mmCIF file of all heavy atoms in Angstrom:
data_model
loop_
_atom_site.group_PDB
_atom_site.id
_atom_site.type_symbol
_atom_site.label_atom_id
_atom_site.label_comp_id
_atom_site.label_asym_id
_atom_site.label_seq_id
_atom_site.Cartn_x
_atom_site.Cartn_y
_atom_site.Cartn_z
ATOM 1 N N GLU A 51 -29.170 85.857 86.970
ATOM 2 C CA GLU A 51 -30.124 84.781 87.382
ATOM 3 C C GLU A 51 -29.802 83.455 86.722
ATOM 4 O O GLU A 51 -30.317 82.356 87.144
ATOM 5 C CB GLU A 51 -31.530 85.202 87.081
ATOM 6 C CG GLU A 51 -32.008 86.317 88.043
ATOM 7 C CD GLU A 51 -33.346 86.823 87.673
ATOM 8 O OE1 GLU A 51 -34.032 86.501 86.702
ATOM 9 O OE2 GLU A 51 -33.831 87.693 88.522
ATOM 10 N N TRP A 52 -28.966 83.549 85.593
ATOM 11 C CA TRP A 52 -28.596 82.264 85.008
ATOM 12 C C TRP A 52 -27.182 81.858 85.371
ATOM 13 O O TRP A 52 -26.572 80.980 84.774
ATOM 14 C CB TRP A 52 -28.623 82.327 83.401
ATOM 15 C CG TRP A 52 -30.166 82.485 82.966
ATOM 16 C CD1 TRP A 52 -31.238 82.145 83.550
ATOM 17 C CD2 TRP A 52 -30.472 83.037 81.649
ATOM 18 N NE1 TRP A 52 -32.319 82.432 82.788
ATOM 19 C CE2 TRP A 52 -31.931 83.063 81.611
ATOM 20 C CE3 TRP A 52 -29.843 83.582 80.578
ATOM 21 C CZ2 TRP A 52 -32.652 83.470 80.541
ATOM 22 C CZ3 TRP A 52 -30.515 84.032 79.518
ATOM 23 C CH2 TRP A 52 -31.936 84.018 79.481
ATOM 24 N N SER A 53 -26.628 82.564 86.270
ATOM 25 C CA SER A 53 -25.164 82.280 86.910
ATOM 26 C C SER A 53 -24.126 82.264 85.807
ATOM 27 O O SER A 53 -23.194 81.476 85.872
ATOM 28 C CB SER A 53 -25.204 81.023 87.651
ATOM 29 O OG SER A 53 -26.217 80.962 88.630
ATOM 30 N N ASN A 54 -24.207 83.111 84.758
ATOM 31 C CA ASN A 54 -23.216 83.060 83.704
ATOM 32 C C ASN A 54 -22.836 84.513 83.336
ATOM 33 O O ASN A 54 -22.383 84.743 82.213
ATOM 34 C CB ASN A 54 -23.633 82.354 82.477
ATOM 35 C CG ASN A 54 -24.776 82.949 81.757
ATOM 36 O OD1 ASN A 54 -25.417 83.869 82.228
ATOM 37 N ND2 ASN A 54 -25.184 82.500 80.547
ATOM 38 N N SER A 55 -23.113 85.543 84.174
ATOM 39 C CA SER A 55 -22.967 86.921 83.756
ATOM 40 C C SER A 55 -21.569 87.422 83.897
ATOM 41 O O SER A 55 -20.882 87.146 84.876
ATOM 42 C CB SER A 55 -23.974 87.746 84.551
ATOM 43 O OG SER A 55 -25.241 87.398 84.208
ATOM 44 N N ALA A 56 -21.100 88.183 82.896
ATOM 45 C CA ALA A 56 -19.751 88.845 82.987
ATOM 46 C C ALA A 56 -20.117 90.360 82.936
ATOM 47 O O ALA A 56 -20.905 90.793 82.147
ATOM 48 C CB ALA A 56 -18.951 88.429 81.729
ATOM 49 N N PHE A 57 -19.385 91.156 83.776
ATOM 50 C CA PHE A 57 -19.603 92.617 83.925
ATOM 51 C C PHE A 57 -18.352 93.337 83.535
ATOM 52 O O PHE A 57 -17.301 92.822 83.728
ATOM 53 C CB PHE A 57 -20.144 92.948 85.352
ATOM 54 C CG PHE A 57 -21.385 92.254 85.672
ATOM 55 C CD1 PHE A 57 -21.476 91.067 86.439
ATOM 56 C CD2 PHE A 57 -22.580 92.815 85.174
ATOM 57 C CE1 PHE A 57 -22.703 90.460 86.735
ATOM 58 C CE2 PHE A 57 -23.803 92.217 85.497
ATOM 59 C CZ PHE A 57 -23.899 91.006 86.340
ATOM 60 N N PRO A 58 -18.464 94.570 83.032
ATOM 61 C CA PRO A 58 -19.757 95.281 82.765
ATOM 62 C C PRO A 58 -20.481 94.595 81.548
ATOM 63 O O PRO A 58 -19.916 94.076 80.710
ATOM 64 C CB PRO A 58 -19.258 96.655 82.408
ATOM 65 C CG PRO A 58 -17.805 96.493 81.936
ATOM 66 C CD PRO A 58 -17.245 95.409 82.723
ATOM 67 N N MET A 59 -21.792 94.715 81.656
ATOM 68 C CA MET A 59 -22.706 94.148 80.628
ATOM 69 C C MET A 59 -23.541 95.223 79.930
ATOM 70 O O MET A 59 -24.231 95.839 80.681
ATOM 71 C CB MET A 59 -23.624 92.991 81.209
ATOM 72 C CG MET A 59 -24.503 92.351 80.196
ATOM 73 S SD MET A 59 -25.750 91.372 81.159
ATOM 74 C CE MET A 59 -24.832 90.209 82.083
ATOM 75 N N VAL A 60 -23.438 95.290 78.625
ATOM 76 C CA VAL A 60 -24.356 96.104 77.916
ATOM 77 C C VAL A 60 -25.332 95.208 77.260
ATOM 78 O O VAL A 60 -24.956 94.444 76.269
ATOM 79 C CB VAL A 60 -23.578 96.861 76.756
ATOM 80 C CG1 VAL A 60 -24.556 97.720 75.967
ATOM 81 C CG2 VAL A 60 -22.541 97.807 77.424
ATOM 82 N N PRO A 61 -26.536 95.105 77.735
ATOM 83 C CA PRO A 61 -27.516 94.102 77.221
ATOM 84 C C PRO A 61 -28.110 94.610 75.881
ATOM 85 O O PRO A 61 -27.765 95.599 75.322
ATOM 86 C CB PRO A 61 -28.630 94.083 78.200
ATOM 87 C CG PRO A 61 -28.126 94.910 79.398
ATOM 88 C CD PRO A 61 -27.118 95.823 78.813
ATOM 89 N N GLY A 62 -29.048 93.808 75.360
ATOM 90 C CA GLY A 62 -29.826 94.188 74.153
ATOM 91 C C GLY A 62 -29.546 93.304 72.995
ATOM 92 O O GLY A 62 -28.471 93.359 72.418
ATOM 93 N N HIS A 63 -30.551 92.553 72.553
ATOM 94 C CA HIS A 63 -30.482 91.682 71.349
ATOM 95 C C HIS A 63 -31.664 91.709 70.484
ATOM 96 O O HIS A 63 -32.014 90.724 69.857
ATOM 97 C CB HIS A 63 -30.066 90.292 71.761
ATOM 98 C CG HIS A 63 -31.061 89.568 72.650
ATOM 99 N ND1 HIS A 63 -30.655 88.596 73.545
ATOM 100 C CD2 HIS A 63 -32.377 89.718 72.908
ATOM 101 C CE1 HIS A 63 -31.778 88.212 74.189
ATOM 102 N NE2 HIS A 63 -32.697 88.792 73.859
ATOM 103 N N GLU A 64 -32.356 92.890 70.513
ATOM 104 C CA GLU A 64 -33.530 93.111 69.546
ATOM 105 C C GLU A 64 -33.213 94.443 68.846
ATOM 106 O O GLU A 64 -33.858 95.416 69.140
ATOM 107 C CB GLU A 64 -34.814 93.050 70.284
ATOM 108 C CG GLU A 64 -35.173 91.804 70.984
ATOM 109 C CD GLU A 64 -36.571 91.826 71.593
ATOM 110 O OE1 GLU A 64 -37.127 92.876 72.010
ATOM 111 O OE2 GLU A 64 -37.168 90.644 71.696
ATOM 112 N N ILE A 65 -32.229 94.324 67.972
ATOM 113 C CA ILE A 65 -31.650 95.541 67.355
ATOM 114 C C ILE A 65 -32.135 95.907 66.021
ATOM 115 O O ILE A 65 -32.137 94.958 65.071
ATOM 116 C CB ILE A 65 -30.095 95.351 67.369
ATOM 117 C CG1 ILE A 65 -29.517 95.098 68.792
ATOM 118 C CG2 ILE A 65 -29.402 96.521 66.618
ATOM 119 C CD1 ILE A 65 -28.134 94.613 68.808
ATOM 120 N N ILE A 66 -32.541 97.167 65.736
ATOM 121 C CA ILE A 66 -32.878 97.650 64.395
ATOM 122 C C ILE A 66 -32.004 98.853 64.182
ATOM 123 O O ILE A 66 -31.841 99.691 65.017
ATOM 124 C CB ILE A 66 -34.335 97.995 64.254
ATOM 125 C CG1 ILE A 66 -35.254 96.786 64.387
ATOM 126 C CG2 ILE A 66 -34.617 98.753 62.978
ATOM 127 C CD1 ILE A 66 -35.437 96.021 63.201
#
Side-chain angles (χ1 to χ4, degrees):
E51 291 175 353
W52 295 338
S53 305
N54 68 349
S55 296
F57 297 100
M59 182 192 300
V60 176
H63 59 207
E64 293 186 334
I65 298 167
I66 294 277

